[in-house]
Amino acid sequence: SKIMTRTPLIAFSLAALVAAPCLVAQEEAPAQDKQLLRYEMTKGAKYRLGLTQQSVATRKMGGEEMSQDFSMTMVFDIEVLDAAEGEFQVGYTNSRLMGRVIMPQGAIEFDSDDRDNFPPMMMQMLGPIGHQVIARIDARGEFLEVTVPDGMETPPGADMAEEMKSMLKAFVPTLPEEAVAVGGSWEKEDSMNVGPGRDAKVVNRYTLRDVEDGAVTIASTVEFEEGTD
């Protein structure tokens, strides 16, 4: 069997996602013309970004359906450590993690700022808090390399560099290789580790919604497909 998950349509500005200043439409042109989209970052730029994930999982157990609502917000402090032509080194520090899980047995709330009351079953999620992960990214938003610090706590058997890469990709939409016009679409297929020996296929579909004064708005849908026994 397979588990399929789709996110709703999300519109976002690339200038707000990477680093200011960030010019992604390399040539000014009328909306009907195609434009080559590329990231530009400035060394030393800093900002804070929050990412909220929401999901609902439904499973059948003993002939009964059981649902679990999950909401989690991660707050990152981001700094452009280096910027060369067409390639950037960016530091991501996960400064806070908070959220809520609603199960048939009741609700569990968690906040990394309140470690004394953090759910014991979720303690491994605190490993990245306060540590800077360094990513090397090209001008299309492709993650070339992710490095995690030696002091970061890692669950047994986990590849934290790959897990953090999968997470951080949510911040940086992959831009198309060729020029695209407003209304044009492209997609990026990838994989994400969701547990020991388990991978999910991830398909990101993007549509260029608007280009105005160098600011680009893109709509995105994400589809997850996980094979299960």
Side-chain angles (χ1 to χ4, degrees):
S1 63
K2 293 183 177 180
I3 299 173
M4 300 285 291
T5 305
R6 290 180 176 85
T7 66
L9 197 66
I10 303 172
F12 45 80
S13 167
L14 296 183
L17 282 171
V18 187
C22 173
L23 179 64
V24 292
Q26 290 200 332
E27 297 179 2
E28 290 295 333
Q32 67 270 23
D33 292 345
K34 292 184 177 181
Q35 303 193 54
L36 188 64
L37 305 179
R38 292 295 183 265
Y39 288 107
E40 290 186 5
M41 305 184 196
T42 302
K43 182 178 180 179
K46 298 179 181 179
Y47 68 110
R48 174 166 285 190
L49 183 65
L51 174 67
T52 298
Q53 298 176 328
Q54 295 180 314
S55 65
V56 178
T58 302
R59 299 177 182 273
K60 282 190 175 181
M61 298 183 65
E64 295 184 6
E65 282 194 352
M66 301 181 64
S67 65
Q68 174 178 297
D69 293 355
F70 181 80
S71 175
M72 179 175 69
T73 298
M74 294 172 287
V75 180
F76 282 85
D77 290 306
I78 303 173
E79 179 180 3
V80 180
L81 304 174
D82 198 12
E85 186 174 350
E87 190 172 303
F88 315 98
Q89 190 177 65
V90 183
Y92 295 84
T93 302
N94 192 180
S95 55
R96 190 175 183 184
L97 172 69
M98 50 191 168
R100 186 178 189 184
V101 183
I102 303 177
M103 302 179 291
Q105 300 91 333
I108 300 175
E109 295 187 352
F110 55 93
D111 188 336
S112 61
D113 281 359
D114 186 13
R115 288 179 177 246
D116 291 341
N117 293 308
F118 206 85
M121 69 181 72
M122 304 171 70
M123 289 299 289
Q124 67 180 27
M125 297 174 65
L126 294 176
I129 300 298
H131 295 282
Q132 186 181 67
V133 174
I134 298 175
R136 192 161 55 90
I137 309 169
D138 70 13
R140 287 185 53 238
E142 293 278 8
F143 278 73
L144 307 176
E145 182 182 20
V146 171
T147 305
V148 299
D150 293 336
M152 181 185 293
E153 295 182 21
T154 304
D159 185 339
M160 286 303 294
E162 286 300 315
E163 290 188 16
M164 294 302 297
K165 180 189 290 187
S166 296
M167 180 190 303
L168 295 175
K169 284 179 181 178
F171 292 121
V172 187
T174 302
L175 302 178
E177 292 186 20
E178 306 296 334
V180 62
V182 171
S185 299
W186 66 98
E187 66 178 48
K188 168 70 173 176
E189 184 174 313
D190 214 330
S191 63
M192 175 185 294
N193 181 266
V194 293
R198 296 166 53 208
D199 287 323
K201 182 172 76 172
V202 182
V203 180
N204 292 273
R205 295 185 175 89
Y206 305 105
T207 300
L208 180 60
R209 284 293 183 85
D210 188 35
V211 178
E212 184 176 356
D213 298 328
V216 175
T217 300
I218 289 176
S220 170
T221 61
V222 185
E223 180 180 294
F224 298 85
E225 179 179 316
E226 180 190 348
T228 59
D229 296 330

